[in-house]
Amino acid sequence: MDLQLSGRVAIVTGASKGMGLAITRTLLEEGARVVAVSRRGTPELDALAGPALVHATEDLMDPEAPARVVRRAVEAFGGLDILVNNAGGPPPGVTLPRFGFLTPNDDDWRTMFEFNLFAVVRAVRAAIPAMLERGGGSIVNISSGNARHPGPMNFDYNAAKAGLNNLTKGLSEEFGPQGIRFNTVSPGPVRTAWWTEEGGAADVLAQATGADRQAVMDKVAPEMMNLTTGRLVEPQEVADAVVLLASPRSASTTGSEYAVDGGFLKQV
């Protein structure tokens, strides 16, 4: 199926690995031109180098970074059609999961909201004028199943993602008539660096459960989270949903939330 993305200009945040890397790669394969945003490069991102890719080295904890990225896209490719706010999860230097409401302090809450909500607000604010100049566009925000599945861990992260869901719905109402579509993709647990890196979620849960880290990813975590598929989600599975929503083939889809979560969410 032709997704009609050839020549479109996209920004992808958190693009150096995991879901962001898969989204970037898929957009390039579909003929889009991409500004890939990350704090540092990776060999995997470097392997995608070419005339259709610009790597913007930015830290989204800097309030001015999103506006610089949008200017970079306009300067490099002449405009902006797609924004994928993928950067999120643990802020730089933070390890999740955190157990219990009393664990995060005020600074933890502020940092979590800065990375998972306020950075998105700034990116959207910067992107809207550029998209309106092109007659519209598509913005996809990466949320989490935990936004609608509260539990006794990661209270600050879950609340930030719930705010992101609400924000996306409101934006779709205001800017839909002007041609900008807003949608959310809510992954479940995805086999990314958040889980796999040394000291990441797999190691935290291994310590809590007494299992080894590989068993956590292959068996313990899917069972603990009651995943219907019995396995963690793969980054490419999220990327496929994101790129379809970014495409003009989804022109009547706005204000929606797509769960790519292995059956994590059970609510009707």
Side-chain angles (χ1 to χ4, degrees):
M1 179 173 66
D2 179 10
L3 294 181
Q4 302 173 8
L5 289 170
S6 182
R8 305 268 175 169
V9 180
I11 292 171
V12 181
T13 67
S16 63
K17 54 189 176 182
M19 294 185 296
L21 180 68
I23 293 163
T24 299
R25 182 188 300 113
T26 305
L27 285 167
L28 290 169
E29 290 171 351
E30 292 294 331
R33 294 170 291 173
V34 182
V35 176
V37 185
S38 65
R39 289 184 299 126
R40 59 181 66 90
T42 60
E44 294 81 6
L45 182 59
D46 292 344
L48 301 178
L53 179 68
V54 169
H55 179 211
T57 305
E58 294 282 2
D59 183 351
L60 294 175
M61 297 294 280
D62 176 357
E64 303 302 319
R68 287 195 297 266
V69 171
V70 171
R71 287 196 297 269
R72 185 87 178 270
V74 173
E75 291 166 1
F77 298 127
L80 180 62
D81 304 294
I82 297 162
L83 169 63
V84 181
N85 286 305
N86 167 74
V94 174
T95 297
L96 295 180
R98 282 194 289 231
F99 300 98
F101 171 72
L102 297 178
T103 302
N105 59 30
D106 282 2
D107 287 340
D108 295 326
W109 277 87
R110 277 190 285 266
T111 300
M112 190 65 70
F113 269 67
E114 188 73 31
F115 191 48
N116 285 278
L117 184 59
F118 300 154
V120 174
V121 169
R122 295 177 185 125
V124 170
R125 185 187 293 139
I128 284 172
M131 288 186 172
L132 290 177
E133 286 185 7
R134 306 265 278 195
S138 175
I139 296 180
V140 183
N141 294 328
I142 306 301
S143 183
S144 168
N146 285 311
R148 295 200 291 121
H149 189 80
M153 65 174 68
N154 301 333
F155 278 88
D156 47 352
Y157 172 75
N158 297 350
K161 290 300 191 182
L164 180 59
N165 287 7
N166 188 288
L167 172 71
T168 306
K169 285 279 191 182
L171 289 167
S172 73
E173 284 294 302
E174 180 173 357
F175 292 99
Q178 299 175 65
I180 303 179
R181 296 183 297 108
F182 287 83
N183 292 288
T184 303
V185 172
S186 293
V190 183
R191 194 179 286 267
T192 63
W194 180 350
W195 284 85
T196 61
E197 282 185 346
E198 196 73 25
D203 287 335
V204 173
L205 289 176
Q207 184 175 6
T209 62
D212 67 74
R213 66 192 318 272
Q214 194 60 49
V216 166
M217 288 186 283
D218 291 343
K219 183 175 174 60
V220 175
E223 289 180 354
M224 181 183 300
M225 303 181 79
N226 196 21
L227 301 185
T228 306
T229 60
R231 63 172 177 82
L232 301 185
V233 178
E234 294 297 331
Q236 187 62 50
E237 295 169 325
V238 178
D240 290 341
V242 169
V243 173
L244 178 60
L245 286 171
S247 162
R249 299 298 292 264
S250 297
S252 290
T253 304
T254 190
S256 72
E257 180 188 4
Y258 274 51
V260 185
D261 64 0
F264 172 62
L265 284 173
K266 311 297 185 186
Q267 298 93 327
V268 175

